[in-house]
Structure formats: C-alpha cells, structure tokens
Amino acid sequence: MTTTATRAGGATPAFPPIWLRDNCPCERCRDPRNGQKLFGITDLPADLTVRDTEATADTITVTFGPDGHRGVFSRAWLEAHLSTSDGDGRTEAAKQLWQARDLEGRLPAADWAAYRDDPAERARVLRAVRDLGFAVLHGTPTEEETVLAIARTFGYPRETNYGTLFDVRVEANPGNLAFTGMRIAPHTDNPYRDPVPTLQLLHCLANAAEGGDSGLVDGFTAASLLRADDEAAFRILTTTLVPFAWSDASTSLRADRPLIDVDPAGHLREVRFNNRSMQALRLDPAATTAFYAAYRRFAEIIARPELLLTFRLEPGDCLVFDNTRLLHARTAFAESGARHLQGCYADLDALASALRTLEETA
Amino acid sequence: MTTTATRAGGATPAFPPIWLRDNCPCERCRDPRNGQKLFGITDLPADLTVRDTEATADTITVTFGPDGHRGVFSRAWLEAHLSTSDGDGRTEAAKQLWQARDLEGRLPAADWAAYRDDPAERARVLRAVRDLGFAVLHGTPTEEETVLAIARTFGYPRETNYGTLFDVRVEANPGNLAFTGMRIAPHTDNPYRDPVPTLQLLHCLANAAEGGDSGLVDGFTAASLLRADDEAAFRILTTTLVPFAWSDASTSLRADRPLIDVDPAGHLREVRFNNRSMQALRLDPAATTAFYAAYRRFAEIIARPELLLTFRLEPGDCLVFDNTRLLHARTAFAESGARHLQGCYADLDALASALRTLEETA
C-alpha cells in the first residue's frame, strides 16, 4: 500500500498533481449534495505541486502547493484508478459478438411477469441487450401501446415524425417499405437521423400471416470480419461520409455518417446499413469505385447465412434491440394475412443507467 | 451537356457504372410511392458495365451490362452530382462561427407571434439555430409548459430522467448546481448522456433576482482557435475519451467521449465541456499530464472575455440553442430572488428537417 503513497508523492507519480487536485473529494471542491465539482480547470493553479502526503491505513492526505489546499483520498479509490477503464460499455470492447449458431435455440429471453416483478430477471434481460444487442420478452399483454409501457421499464420512448409509436402492418399507400408485405433485408433503422435512435422495440400483436419471420445480424461481428478480411475496405467504410435521407410532405431528414463508426481508440461504436435510404455519393470516380467495392464486401459478409439468426415473433413477444449494432430483417409475408407489430425507439444510455442501478442495489 | 453523356459512357466516367445503377430512378429500382430503393447492393451484378447511353436534351438513358437493365437519368440531376456535397449541415463546414462582438446588440431573435404565424420568420429563426447555434424568441406566453409547445414547433421534446421538462430554480436539496444561485461557468449539458441532447430550450418565466444573466460561447470558435494555436493540444482533445457521469438514487448515467469530436473529414462536429460531471481519467501519467495541459489551453480560450456573449432573459423569452456546439453560462444570483426557467431538450435533426421543409415550400 505504500506503493500508492510513493506514487502520489514521488518524483514520477502515477497520479500527477493536476489529476489529484481535479479529483479532490473535499467539500470545497465537490458539492456534497450531488458530487458535482465546484470549480473549472482554470480555477486551479497552473503550477500545482504535491507538497506533502500523509498516509494512514485507508487514506492518503495530499497537501498541494502552491496554495496549501488539502484533500483526503481513499486508498481504495486511488488503487482502483491505477487500472485502465472498462469504458462506457458502448463499443465492441464491452460486447459479446455472436454468429447465429451461438444463439440458435437459446435466444436471450424472459417472461414478462418475471421481468416486471424480479429485479434480477430484469437485470439479466437488460444485460443481454447491452452485451448481445437484444432480448425477447414473452407473454406481454397483446394490447396496443404496450410497447411504450415496456420502453418505460428501462427508459423513455423517443418521439419522431413517425410518432411516439409506429404501427408495422400493411398500408394502402406505404411511406416506407416496412408497411408492405415485402421481404426486408438486414438493415439498421433511421440512418438519416442524427442522433440515430440507439434502441428499437418491436411488439407483436398479431402474426397469422404466412411468412413474416424475424432475423437479426450482429453488425459488430460483420464489421470485425471485414476488418480481419480486408482492412483497407474497413478503413474506407469508417472514413467515408455517406448521405442518408428520408422525406415526405412534412419531413426532410438527412444525416451524413460513415457506415462503420469507430471511436478514437479504433473500437467499433456504431453500424449504419440501409441501402433503401442511402443517397447518391459525391466523390471522385476513383473514390466512388473504391467505396462501392468496400460496401459490397461488407454487404456480402452481412448476407452470410451463418450470421443471420432467425426466429418468429408470436403475439405477446417484444423484441428489444440495439439499433447502433444489430441489423434486423424479416421475410416476406402475404399482404392478406394479419401481421401487426407496434414499434418505438428509445435510447441505450437510459437502459445502461437502469442496469447499473439494478446492479448497484442488488 | 455532351460532357455528361461522355462522362457517363466514356472510359473514365465521372459516374462509375455501380454508382449509376445504385441510383437508377426506374420503378423497378425505386418504390414510386416513397422513393426508397428496392434492392440491396449485393442484388446488383458484380461485373456491371455501361453498355450504351442515349442522350436527349433533358435525359440520358443508360443501358447496363451484363443484364440489359435500363435507367433514364435527368441531366440536371447528374450535373448537380458533379459538384461536391455541402454535407448535412452539422459540422463547422456549414456554420457561421462567431465571437461576442459579432452579435452584441443584434442577437438572432424574433417575436413569438411572428414566428408562430409567418413561415418566413420561422425559417429565419431555425436557420439562426442551425448556422449560429441559437436564437431567442421574445413575447412567448409566461405560462408553465410553454417550452414544450415551443419545442413542438420544430421537433420533439426529448424525455430524460429529469422529465420531459425541467425547472431551473433554487431548490432546497439540489441534485445539480443549476438548482442553486451559484454562478455557472460556460458548459455543455449532459455530456454523460449518449446520445447527448443536441438542442436545449430555456424558457424564462421569472427573472426578478439580482444577477442571473445568461451567457453563450461558441464552442466551435473556441475549438478552431485551439486548433490554430496548438494543433497538438487539439489532437489530444479529439482523441482522448473522457468519462462523464451523473447519478442519483435511481439513475447512473455514463458516457466516454472526447471533448472535441471531429468527423472523418476532420470537421468539428461536437464539443463537450463540463468539469462538474467529468470523472477521473485512467491514463498513464504522461498522457494524463498532456491531457490536462491541452484541457487547460482549451478552457483558457473558452474563458476569454471576447468569446462570451452576455444578455438577460426576461419573462417570456425563450432561448433555443445547439448543445453540441454552444456553451451556456449564467452569472450568480441572490437565492432569495425570483428566478424561474423551464427547460427541455430536443434534437437538431428534426429542427433541420423543419427548416428544409419550410425552405422547400417557400
């Protein structure tokens, strides 16, 4: 334990003086009511030093120069900060990537009553959405608007021009191919929105039509396979801004984003894949040709049968999935058949918050 | 005009065959009801060629090999796609960066009645939010929940754990420094949320307190000054993932994002700046020291008096601003005084859509 004391006060400390001071837990530095810091970085001396440290079994008291400010740090807290962070859970670094065989016959699923009443079961389902990208709830009420109540168990529906919820069923004059009986190939929703909806819920009210089975592809698996197969193609897709758009009489949405978004550390963060709403690129011919070759490679990986997990939503089932990672699909169905889903969008940050709170109080 | 025909059919075309085919406007390729593409990229032949082109005054008909598919392209549409794109309007490339002197005494503002009733005035206000990052509406009703009605003129309130709207006034047991009378230095809101709210509205119901003036700083101006002054520091802030967090008994939000986010072309996209909710970094000591030096440089630029635009919100004023770009601030005020704002979050994509629709129908 003297290691930490030495590091804190030594010549080449693990914790530079500015880091210690910015994280000082004293009541002048942090509001004890809410833990928020009470100063900005320019309020701290530019020539900060650690003048002295005093260690006990549990704490290290740091006296800072030049102003003599003192802060008492927990040793356990300091030790915890010697290891690297596991991040915010939003990139591939925190995910379990899968192919169909990994989950066939054992979808992450729960019964609605258990999910609703048992915090441990709720945590298990939310963890599956975070780590695998989806979960299915069985036995939810087959009443309209149930999808909103389900979203409210872990977050907040995201209202858009499609409404707070949207009906997925055959329409006479469809503004979107979702509202026909056509096959829909694996895609992510609303790439023309920024911020894109990070979660989607699809709640099945009726599925008596021939066909209309559901499919999911792990877009992080597909992107990681592309990276392994053809790193140049991967790099093209992480760096080319692709215009997506959708419009009707009262809406004109547009977002230019890469098909594969990586964070500054190079970790997969988001996948966008939707040829339906992709607009014409404006690149020079060589860049256009290179982009399309990379796009085709990625699409060919996404289309591999071994990546497509298929299952059927029955009335009362609700699929919750990460729209920044998973691509969803459905097989064609007879437009005369009764198939009715209700969907809504929501966001991952609130779901992750609900899960952390469940884990902390468990 | 033969240029385009030559380019489309020539040996080194401006429009490679795959680009033309992916953008084919025929009814088999695009649903005429909604304009969405009816195929995926892997549905197209891998060995596509342009077999023949036929030009008229207004169109170019392309016959593709190997399958003989034909598409009729508008010449005007093709010509338009020879120039580079102006993007989706979300980066510095589409913005008017400002310092305080550029806007002092002439804030982008409008009267509520004119905004509500005149589409041209509404477009002017929304354009200011898009291009300058903010606008002020005067003379809105001083009734509670008006902020939600204002948000609905261009988009959708984003509900969070703070509610659909939040009250900014002095609270006995504040969960956030906003709910005290303390000075709040320039910051962006909710950096611990991902997706971060891209728009914020603050509607003034009462401001009789001594102090409590508002301030705005253009974070894109500050980031571009940092880039010009110290490119190495700029690069550190675009590439270091900074953990932000906020929690209470039922919430535990966390997001790791850089202070300055640039798109793959290097354009400024988002700024996050909020020491209050910044958590302890876990980097090696050298990286920690370099980060803090860069962070201080950025903070010193943000603190330059010439960047801070100050004004006072009067009852009935509503400030609408881009939370991915502008930092907002307020001076301290007497906690005994009556100051009451109502705020809500919303998103820029819907605002940009509303503006495009107004511009297209004007």
Side-chain angles (χ1 to χ4, degrees):
Chain A
M1 284 299 182
T2 38
T3 319
T4 306
T6 308
R7 283 181 182 168
T12 56
F15 303 115
I18 181 66
W19 184 95
L20 286 165
R21 182 61 171 270
D22 191 32
N23 293 300
C24 179
C26 87
E27 293 200 359
R28 285 163 59 198
C29 287
R30 279 181 187 267
D31 190 315
R33 296 171 295 189
N34 50 49
Q36 293 195 304
K37 289 186 216 171
L38 296 168
F39 58 88
I41 195 71
T42 53
D43 297 325
L44 303 181
D47 54 349
L48 262 182
T49 57
V50 169
R51 187 187 288 167
D52 188 40
T53 60
E54 281 172 69
T56 70
D58 300 327
T59 65
I60 295 176
T61 300
V62 176
T63 305
F64 294 94
D67 61 354
H69 186 91
R70 288 164 64 107
V72 183
F73 293 83
S74 139
R75 274 177 180 274
W77 187 89
L78 288 172
E79 291 288 344
H81 284 79
L82 284 172
S83 59
T84 55
S85 164
D86 51 0
D88 61 4
R90 285 289 279 274
T91 74
E92 61 178 323
K95 307 297 190 190
Q96 290 171 249
L97 274 53
W98 53 263
Q99 301 198 18
R101 66 170 179 269
D102 302 322
L103 298 174
E104 262 157 10
R106 45 199 164 104
L107 299 190
D111 277 317
W112 169 244
Y115 171 85
R116 189 189 55 204
D117 299 335
D118 177 359
E121 188 71 350
R122 193 151 68 250
R124 192 177 64 78
V125 169
L126 301 184
R127 203 174 294 120
V129 177
R130 187 191 64 188
D131 298 345
L132 297 170
F134 75 106
V136 179
L137 291 170
H138 297 301
T140 70
T142 52
E143 284 158 28
E144 300 213 0
E145 306 202 3
T146 294
V147 69
L148 298 178
I150 296 170
R152 288 194 174 280
T153 63
F154 55 72
Y156 309 92
R158 171 112 70 97
E159 186 177 354
T160 71
N161 53 297
Y162 301 143
T164 307
L165 71 72
F166 47 88
D167 287 284
V168 184
R169 60 183 161 193
V170 173
E171 289 183 5
N173 189 22
N176 192 295
L177 297 183
F179 312 140
T180 69
M182 292 178 60
R183 166 181 174 261
I184 308 266
H187 67 284
T188 62
D189 260 28
N190 294 14
Y192 42 77
R193 228 181 271 289
D194 181 11
V196 74
T198 54
L199 275 179
Q200 183 171 171
L201 288 79
L202 287 171
H203 178 241
C204 182
L205 291 166
N207 199 6
E210 188 78 22
D213 289 353
S214 297
L216 291 172
V217 171
D218 184 348
F220 280 11
T221 297
S224 69
L225 289 170
L226 178 68
R227 180 172 51 195
D229 283 1
D230 187 343
E231 205 180 337
F234 178 82
R235 207 173 317 113
I236 287 169
L237 298 191
T238 60
T239 54
T240 305
L241 290 167
V242 175
F244 291 99
W246 188 89
S247 59
D248 66 8
S250 59
T251 308
S252 180
L253 289 159
R254 162 141 184 206
D256 292 16
R257 302 292 293 144
L259 298 190
I260 302 174
D261 190 34
V262 294
D263 76 3
H267 290 129
L268 296 169
R269 245 180 78 76
E270 292 185 354
V271 167
R272 276 172 186 73
F273 191 84
N274 193 324
N275 207 53
R276 272 185 287 159
S277 55
M278 188 175 132
Q279 306 301 302
L281 291 166
R282 300 187 187 204
L283 302 171
D284 67 63
T288 302
T289 301
F291 170 81
Y292 272 104
Y295 181 27
R296 183 181 287 271
R297 288 234 33 185
F298 189 35
E300 285 168 349
I301 293 171
I302 286 168
R304 288 182 189 166
E306 65 266 32
L307 262 62
L308 181 65
L309 180 67
T310 55
F311 53 96
R312 189 172 176 85
L313 290 179
E314 301 294 346
D317 286 348
C318 184
L319 172 65
V320 182
F321 65 95
D322 178 346
N323 187 54
T324 67
R325 172 181 171 195
L326 296 203
L327 293 76
H328 62 294
R330 70 147 191 250
T331 58
F333 64 92
E335 296 206 357
S336 56
R339 186 177 190 271
H340 184 195
L341 309 183
Q342 285 193 323
C344 75
Y345 299 117
D347 284 302
L348 277 165
D349 53 0
L351 183 145
S353 166
L355 176 57
R356 269 184 218 108
T357 303
L358 284 168
E359 287 175 337
E360 283 161 12
T361 57
Chain B
M1 281 301 183
T2 39
T3 320
T4 305
T6 308
R7 283 181 182 167
T12 56
F15 303 115
I18 181 65
W19 184 94
L20 286 164
R21 181 64 170 268
D22 192 32
N23 293 300
C24 179
C26 87
E27 292 201 359
R28 286 162 58 199
C29 287
R30 277 178 190 270
D31 189 316
R33 296 171 294 189
N34 51 49
Q36 292 195 305
K37 287 186 216 170
L38 296 168
F39 58 88
I41 194 70
T42 53
D43 297 324
L44 302 182
D47 54 348
L48 262 181
T49 58
V50 169
R51 186 186 289 167
D52 188 40
T53 59
E54 279 173 71
T56 69
D58 299 328
T59 65
I60 294 177
T61 301
V62 177
T63 305
F64 294 94
D67 62 354
H69 186 91
R70 287 164 64 105
V72 182
F73 293 83
S74 138
R75 275 178 181 274
W77 187 88
L78 288 172
E79 291 288 344
H81 284 78
L82 284 172
S83 60
T84 55
S85 164
D86 52 359
D88 62 3
R90 286 288 280 273
T91 74
E92 62 178 321
K95 307 297 190 190
Q96 290 171 250
L97 273 55
W98 53 262
Q99 301 198 19
R101 65 169 179 270
D102 302 320
L103 297 174
E104 262 157 12
R106 44 199 166 106
L107 299 190
D111 277 317
W112 169 243
Y115 171 86
R116 190 189 54 204
D117 300 334
D118 178 359
E121 188 71 352
R122 195 152 65 251
R124 192 176 64 78
V125 169
L126 300 184
R127 202 175 294 122
V129 177
R130 186 191 62 186
D131 298 345
L132 296 169
F134 76 107
V136 179
L137 291 170
H138 297 302
T140 70
T142 52
E143 285 157 27
E144 300 214 358
E145 305 202 1
T146 293
V147 70
L148 298 178
I150 296 170
R152 288 194 174 279
T153 64
F154 54 72
Y156 309 92
R158 169 110 72 97
E159 186 178 353
T160 70
N161 54 296
Y162 300 144
T164 306
L165 71 72
F166 47 86
D167 288 283
V168 184
R169 60 186 161 192
V170 173
E171 290 182 4
N173 190 21
N176 191 298
L177 296 183
F179 313 139
T180 69
M182 290 178 61
R183 166 181 174 264
I184 309 266
H187 68 284
T188 62
D189 258 30
N190 294 14
Y192 42 77
R193 226 180 274 287
D194 180 12
V196 74
T198 55
L199 275 179
Q200 185 171 172
L201 288 80
L202 287 171
H203 178 242
C204 182
L205 292 166
N207 199 5
E210 188 77 25
D213 289 352
S214 297
L216 290 172
V217 171
D218 185 347
F220 280 11
T221 298
S224 68
L225 289 169
L226 178 67
R227 180 172 52 195
D229 282 1
D230 187 343
E231 207 180 335
F234 178 81
R235 206 172 320 114
I236 287 169
L237 298 190
T238 60
T239 54
T240 305
L241 290 167
V242 175
F244 291 99
W246 188 89
S247 60
D248 66 8
S250 59
T251 308
S252 179
L253 289 159
R254 160 136 187 211
D256 291 17
R257 302 292 292 145
L259 298 190
I260 302 173
D261 189 34
V262 293
D263 76 5
H267 290 129
L268 296 169
R269 246 181 75 77
E270 293 185 354
V271 167
R272 275 172 185 72
F273 191 85
N274 192 325
N275 206 54
R276 273 184 287 158
S277 54
M278 188 176 134
Q279 306 301 301
L281 291 167
R282 298 185 188 207
L283 302 171
D284 67 63
T288 302
T289 301
F291 170 82
Y292 271 105
Y295 180 29
R296 182 181 288 271
R297 287 232 38 183
F298 190 35
E300 285 168 350
I301 292 170
I302 286 168
R304 288 180 191 166
E306 64 267 30
L307 262 62
L308 181 67
L309 180 67
T310 55
F311 53 97
R312 190 173 176 84
L313 290 178
E314 301 294 346
D317 286 348
C318 183
L319 171 65
V320 182
F321 65 96
D322 179 346
N323 188 53
T324 67
R325 173 182 171 193
L326 297 201
L327 293 76
H328 62 293
R330 69 146 192 252
T331 58
F333 63 92
E335 297 205 358
S336 56
R339 186 178 191 270
H340 184 194
L341 308 184
Q342 285 193 322
C344 75
Y345 299 117
D347 284 303
L348 277 166
D349 52 1
L351 184 144
S353 167
L355 176 56
R356 272 185 216 107
T357 304
L358 284 168
E359 286 174 339
E360 283 161 14
T361 57

